[in-house]
Amino acid sequence: MHGSRKRRIEKTLPRDDVPRALAEVVARAGEGLLVIDGEAVELADCASFKISIRHSGASSQLKVTLRYPEAPGVLGGDSPVKDSPEEAASGGLPRYKGLKKRMKSTFRAIRDALLAGAAPDAGVAASFVADSRLMTRYPGKGDAYYAIYDAEVDRFEQALAAGDVAALTASAAALDRLKKECHSRHA
């Protein structure tokens, strides 16, 4: 998953203990917890998790991989932001590549909410709007599209304030089209 951070927990155990260990791991999943080696791991902020078992002779390797969104405070992650001030580009702007990765992640969350027929999380949408405003300040990265993109971001923001899911969906589709057009010429 692009734009995420992982937590991996591995445990080697006798092959015969795998069924018991698996049962322990998922016993409290209904409560939003995985239990690994007696440690309860909350799934509330987890975007996805995977449990795998690899057998090797008489022993087995149990591996649990949890994925969390990367942007702190926006999508629930608590990792440091990669575009810290010391990594800023000229003009005090964050690194363009990091900004685009963050925008991809937040736009995916917006699109997923809209596909489910719901308004996107307000924090995620606000982050996307703020990043969109920043993105159009980078010279030479698609300047010809900036005015029309900014106007569509305005429409998106108005639809968000009104709670109009249909208008948000239309605006998100327009933003996606503009992105694809711009990227086909400038990426």
Side-chain angles (χ1 to χ4, degrees):
M1 175 185 286
H2 207 61
S4 66
R5 63 182 175 83
K6 293 181 190 177
R7 178 177 179 193
R8 189 172 290 139
I9 303 165
E10 297 180 27
K11 179 180 180 178
T12 303
L13 58 150
R15 190 174 188 148
D16 294 339
D17 289 351
V18 169
R20 181 195 49 77
L22 258 175
E24 286 176 7
V25 168
V26 298
R28 295 182 59 197
E31 301 170 38
L33 300 170
L34 291 182
V35 180
I36 305 156
D37 274 342
E39 175 189 358
V41 178
E42 287 193 40
L43 297 175
D45 293 335
C46 182
S48 68
F49 70 89
K50 178 178 160 182
I51 300 171
S52 63
I53 298 171
R54 181 160 293 164
H55 299 295
S56 178
S59 66
S60 297
Q61 175 110 20
L62 170 68
K63 185 185 331 182
V64 179
T65 304
L66 302 120
R67 292 180 187 257
Y68 298 90
E70 189 158 324
V74 174
L75 296 175
D78 57 5
S79 66
V81 176
K82 288 186 179 181
D83 290 324
S84 59
E86 56 271 10
E87 293 183 32
S90 61
L93 297 172
R95 284 185 42 241
Y96 187 72
K97 185 176 178 180
L99 174 69
K100 295 296 282 184
K101 282 183 179 182
R102 192 170 59 236
M103 287 180 72
K104 181 178 181 178
S105 177
T106 55
F107 191 74
R108 182 181 301 128
I110 289 167
R111 185 192 67 223
D112 290 349
L114 292 171
L115 285 172
D121 176 79
V124 172
S127 174
F128 177 76
V129 168
D131 285 345
S132 291
R133 304 287 187 215
L134 270 176
M135 183 198 62
T136 58
R137 293 177 46 202
Y138 287 82
K141 301 286 187 181
D143 304 49
Y145 289 90
Y146 287 175
I148 194 166
Y149 184 86
D150 280 338
E152 193 58 51
V153 170
D154 290 341
R155 282 189 282 282
F156 178 84
E157 203 169 23
Q158 290 166 357
L160 184 67
D164 187 344
V165 174
L168 281 166
T169 302
S171 186
L175 288 168
D176 195 40
R177 272 192 310 279
L178 285 169
K179 175 195 76 164
K180 288 176 181 172
E181 263 184 58
C182 184
H183 287 186
S184 72
R185 296 186 180 165
H186 295 281

mmCIF file of all heavy atoms in Angstrom, residues 90-112:
data_model
loop_
_atom_site.group_PDB
_atom_site.id
_atom_site.type_symbol
_atom_site.label_atom_id
_atom_site.label_comp_id
_atom_site.label_asym_id
_atom_site.label_seq_id
_atom_site.Cartn_x
_atom_site.Cartn_y
_atom_site.Cartn_z
ATOM 1 N N SER A 90 12.830 24.672 -2.152
ATOM 2 C CA SER A 90 13.044 26.112 -2.166
ATOM 3 C C SER A 90 11.708 26.832 -2.028
ATOM 4 O O SER A 90 10.673 26.336 -2.453
ATOM 5 C CB SER A 90 13.730 26.520 -3.471
ATOM 6 O OG SER A 90 12.910 26.188 -4.567
ATOM 7 N N GLY A 91 11.714 27.992 -1.444
ATOM 8 C CA GLY A 91 10.503 28.773 -1.240
ATOM 9 C C GLY A 91 9.690 28.330 -0.040
ATOM 10 O O GLY A 91 8.559 28.744 0.126
ATOM 11 N N GLY A 92 10.255 27.464 0.804
ATOM 12 C CA GLY A 92 9.566 27.021 1.998
ATOM 13 C C GLY A 92 8.475 25.988 1.752
ATOM 14 O O GLY A 92 7.731 25.661 2.661
ATOM 15 N N LEU A 93 8.370 25.494 0.521
ATOM 16 C CA LEU A 93 7.367 24.477 0.212
ATOM 17 C C LEU A 93 7.909 23.094 0.542
ATOM 18 O O LEU A 93 9.106 22.857 0.451
ATOM 19 C CB LEU A 93 7.013 24.533 -1.282
ATOM 20 C CG LEU A 93 6.378 25.831 -1.784
ATOM 21 C CD1 LEU A 93 6.259 25.819 -3.296
ATOM 22 C CD2 LEU A 93 5.012 26.021 -1.150
ATOM 23 N N PRO A 94 7.034 22.157 0.924
ATOM 24 C CA PRO A 94 7.505 20.790 1.175
ATOM 25 C C PRO A 94 7.977 20.148 -0.131
ATOM 26 O O PRO A 94 7.652 20.631 -1.221
ATOM 27 C CB PRO A 94 6.270 20.075 1.718
ATOM 28 C CG PRO A 94 5.116 20.887 1.289
ATOM 29 C CD PRO A 94 5.601 22.298 1.141
ATOM 30 N N ARG A 95 8.714 19.069 -0.008
ATOM 31 C CA ARG A 95 9.173 18.363 -1.205
ATOM 32 C C ARG A 95 7.979 17.970 -2.048
ATOM 33 O O ARG A 95 6.996 17.442 -1.538
ATOM 34 C CB ARG A 95 9.980 17.118 -0.828
ATOM 35 C CG ARG A 95 11.378 17.444 -0.345
ATOM 36 C CD ARG A 95 12.237 16.205 -0.080
ATOM 37 N NE ARG A 95 12.090 15.176 -1.107
ATOM 38 C CZ ARG A 95 11.641 13.933 -0.863
ATOM 39 N NH1 ARG A 95 11.297 13.564 0.338
ATOM 40 N NH2 ARG A 95 11.548 13.058 -1.841
ATOM 41 N N TYR A 96 8.053 18.214 -3.337
ATOM 42 C CA TYR A 96 6.939 17.958 -4.253
ATOM 43 C C TYR A 96 6.549 16.486 -4.266
ATOM 44 O O TYR A 96 5.370 16.147 -4.218
ATOM 45 C CB TYR A 96 7.339 18.424 -5.658
ATOM 46 C CG TYR A 96 6.217 18.374 -6.666
ATOM 47 C CD1 TYR A 96 5.171 19.293 -6.613
ATOM 48 C CD2 TYR A 96 6.199 17.425 -7.680
ATOM 49 C CE1 TYR A 96 4.138 19.265 -7.532
ATOM 50 C CE2 TYR A 96 5.174 17.385 -8.608
ATOM 51 C CZ TYR A 96 4.149 18.312 -8.532
ATOM 52 O OH TYR A 96 3.131 18.276 -9.449
ATOM 53 N N LYS A 97 7.526 15.614 -4.292
ATOM 54 C CA LYS A 97 7.257 14.175 -4.352
ATOM 55 C C LYS A 97 6.475 13.715 -3.114
ATOM 56 O O LYS A 97 5.509 12.963 -3.225
ATOM 57 C CB LYS A 97 8.568 13.406 -4.468
ATOM 58 C CG LYS A 97 8.393 11.925 -4.644
ATOM 59 C CD LYS A 97 9.739 11.236 -4.839
ATOM 60 C CE LYS A 97 9.565 9.743 -4.974
ATOM 61 N NZ LYS A 97 10.840 9.057 -5.169
ATOM 62 N N GLY A 98 6.872 14.173 -1.937
ATOM 63 C CA GLY A 98 6.172 13.820 -0.711
ATOM 64 C C GLY A 98 4.753 14.368 -0.685
ATOM 65 O O GLY A 98 3.816 13.698 -0.236
ATOM 66 N N LEU A 99 4.595 15.595 -1.169
ATOM 67 C CA LEU A 99 3.270 16.216 -1.242
ATOM 68 C C LEU A 99 2.359 15.402 -2.155
ATOM 69 O O LEU A 99 1.212 15.103 -1.806
ATOM 70 C CB LEU A 99 3.398 17.649 -1.770
ATOM 71 C CG LEU A 99 2.086 18.392 -2.040
ATOM 72 C CD1 LEU A 99 1.374 18.707 -0.729
ATOM 73 C CD2 LEU A 99 2.364 19.673 -2.810
ATOM 74 N N LYS A 100 2.864 14.991 -3.307
ATOM 75 C CA LYS A 100 2.061 14.215 -4.258
ATOM 76 C C LYS A 100 1.687 12.851 -3.676
ATOM 77 O O LYS A 100 0.571 12.375 -3.875
ATOM 78 C CB LYS A 100 2.815 14.049 -5.584
ATOM 79 C CG LYS A 100 3.052 15.351 -6.323
ATOM 80 C CD LYS A 100 1.775 16.007 -6.746
ATOM 81 C CE LYS A 100 1.239 15.328 -7.974
ATOM 82 N NZ LYS A 100 0.056 15.930 -8.533
ATOM 83 N N LYS A 101 2.591 12.227 -2.937
ATOM 84 C CA LYS A 101 2.279 10.938 -2.307
ATOM 85 C C LYS A 101 1.164 11.093 -1.276
ATOM 86 O O LYS A 101 0.248 10.291 -1.197
ATOM 87 C CB LYS A 101 3.517 10.346 -1.631
ATOM 88 C CG LYS A 101 4.487 9.712 -2.585
ATOM 89 C CD LYS A 101 5.628 9.094 -1.817
ATOM 90 C CE LYS A 101 6.601 8.422 -2.747
ATOM 91 N NZ LYS A 101 7.695 7.773 -2.016
ATOM 92 N N ARG A 102 1.265 12.157 -0.490
ATOM 93 C CA ARG A 102 0.241 12.407 0.529
ATOM 94 C C ARG A 102 -1.113 12.689 -0.136
ATOM 95 O O ARG A 102 -2.148 12.184 0.307
ATOM 96 C CB ARG A 102 0.687 13.569 1.412
ATOM 97 C CG ARG A 102 -0.134 13.727 2.653
ATOM 98 C CD ARG A 102 0.467 14.715 3.630
ATOM 99 N NE ARG A 102 0.632 16.033 3.069
ATOM 100 C CZ ARG A 102 1.798 16.695 3.015
ATOM 101 N NH1 ARG A 102 2.894 16.170 3.504
ATOM 102 N NH2 ARG A 102 1.865 17.899 2.488
ATOM 103 N N MET A 103 -1.090 13.459 -1.230
ATOM 104 C CA MET A 103 -2.323 13.767 -1.953
ATOM 105 C C MET A 103 -2.939 12.500 -2.547
ATOM 106 O O MET A 103 -4.160 12.338 -2.541
ATOM 107 C CB MET A 103 -2.054 14.786 -3.062
ATOM 108 C CG MET A 103 -1.804 16.178 -2.557
ATOM 109 S SD MET A 103 -1.487 17.325 -3.909
ATOM 110 C CE MET A 103 -3.134 17.457 -4.607
ATOM 111 N N LYS A 104 -2.107 11.621 -3.046
ATOM 112 C CA LYS A 104 -2.611 10.361 -3.609
ATOM 113 C C LYS A 104 -3.344 9.565 -2.532
ATOM 114 O O LYS A 104 -4.426 9.024 -2.764
ATOM 115 C CB LYS A 104 -1.458 9.555 -4.191
ATOM 116 C CG LYS A 104 -1.880 8.255 -4.823
ATOM 117 C CD LYS A 104 -0.690 7.526 -5.418
ATOM 118 C CE LYS A 104 -1.116 6.227 -6.073
ATOM 119 N NZ LYS A 104 0.012 5.526 -6.685
ATOM 120 N N SER A 105 -2.760 9.521 -1.348
ATOM 121 C CA SER A 105 -3.354 8.773 -0.238
ATOM 122 C C SER A 105 -4.671 9.399 0.218
ATOM 123 O O SER A 105 -5.673 8.698 0.409
ATOM 124 C CB SER A 105 -2.358 8.713 0.917
ATOM 125 O OG SER A 105 -2.917 8.067 2.016
ATOM 126 N N THR A 106 -4.699 10.716 0.393
ATOM 127 C CA THR A 106 -5.923 11.359 0.857
ATOM 128 C C THR A 106 -7.009 11.307 -0.213
ATOM 129 O O THR A 106 -8.183 11.106 0.102
ATOM 130 C CB THR A 106 -5.690 12.810 1.325
ATOM 131 O OG1 THR A 106 -5.064 13.555 0.281
ATOM 132 C CG2 THR A 106 -4.842 12.859 2.581
ATOM 133 N N PHE A 107 -6.622 11.454 -1.489
ATOM 134 C CA PHE A 107 -7.624 11.394 -2.555
ATOM 135 C C PHE A 107 -8.220 9.993 -2.647
ATOM 136 O O PHE A 107 -9.412 9.825 -2.885
ATOM 137 C CB PHE A 107 -7.037 11.823 -3.907
ATOM 138 C CG PHE A 107 -8.095 12.017 -4.953
ATOM 139 C CD1 PHE A 107 -8.924 13.136 -4.931
ATOM 140 C CD2 PHE A 107 -8.293 11.083 -5.961
ATOM 141 C CE1 PHE A 107 -9.920 13.318 -5.878
ATOM 142 C CE2 PHE A 107 -9.286 11.252 -6.912
ATOM 143 C CZ PHE A 107 -10.098 12.370 -6.878
ATOM 144 N N ARG A 108 -7.406 8.979 -2.434
ATOM 145 C CA ARG A 108 -7.911 7.595 -2.435
ATOM 146 C C ARG A 108 -8.957 7.423 -1.322
ATOM 147 O O ARG A 108 -9.997 6.819 -1.533
ATOM 148 C CB ARG A 108 -6.773 6.594 -2.256
ATOM 149 C CG ARG A 108 -7.262 5.142 -2.295
ATOM 150 C CD ARG A 108 -6.151 4.139 -2.096
ATOM 151 N NE ARG A 108 -5.130 4.271 -3.103
ATOM 152 C CZ ARG A 108 -3.827 4.399 -2.853
ATOM 153 N NH1 ARG A 108 -3.388 4.387 -1.616
ATOM 154 N NH2 ARG A 108 -2.958 4.514 -3.827
ATOM 155 N N ALA A 109 -8.676 7.966 -0.134
ATOM 156 C CA ALA A 109 -9.634 7.868 0.971
ATOM 157 C C ALA A 109 -10.930 8.617 0.635
ATOM 158 O O ALA A 109 -12.036 8.140 0.945
ATOM 159 C CB ALA A 109 -9.018 8.415 2.255
ATOM 160 N N ILE A 110 -10.810 9.766 -0.017
ATOM 161 C CA ILE A 110 -11.987 10.537 -0.433
ATOM 162 C C ILE A 110 -12.793 9.737 -1.457
ATOM 163 O O ILE A 110 -14.007 9.585 -1.334
ATOM 164 C CB ILE A 110 -11.558 11.902 -1.023
ATOM 165 C CG1 ILE A 110 -11.037 12.809 0.094
ATOM 166 C CG2 ILE A 110 -12.709 12.560 -1.783
ATOM 167 C CD1 ILE A 110 -10.306 14.047 -0.391
ATOM 168 N N ARG A 111 -12.105 9.214 -2.455
ATOM 169 C CA ARG A 111 -12.775 8.434 -3.503
ATOM 170 C C ARG A 111 -13.484 7.209 -2.908
ATOM 171 O O ARG A 111 -14.620 6.917 -3.257
ATOM 172 C CB ARG A 111 -11.758 8.002 -4.562
ATOM 173 C CG ARG A 111 -12.403 7.294 -5.756
ATOM 174 C CD ARG A 111 -11.401 6.627 -6.640
ATOM 175 N NE ARG A 111 -10.819 5.533 -5.879
ATOM 176 C CZ ARG A 111 -9.531 5.240 -5.860
ATOM 177 N NH1 ARG A 111 -8.677 5.939 -6.540
ATOM 178 N NH2 ARG A 111 -9.088 4.219 -5.153
ATOM 179 N N ASP A 112 -12.811 6.521 -1.989
ATOM 180 C CA ASP A 112 -13.419 5.336 -1.366
ATOM 181 C C ASP A 112 -14.693 5.694 -0.600
ATOM 182 O O ASP A 112 -15.685 4.970 -0.670
ATOM 183 C CB ASP A 112 -12.418 4.638 -0.443
ATOM 184 C CG ASP A 112 -11.293 3.959 -1.203
ATOM 185 O OD1 ASP A 112 -11.379 3.838 -2.450
ATOM 186 O OD2 ASP A 112 -10.300 3.564 -0.556
#
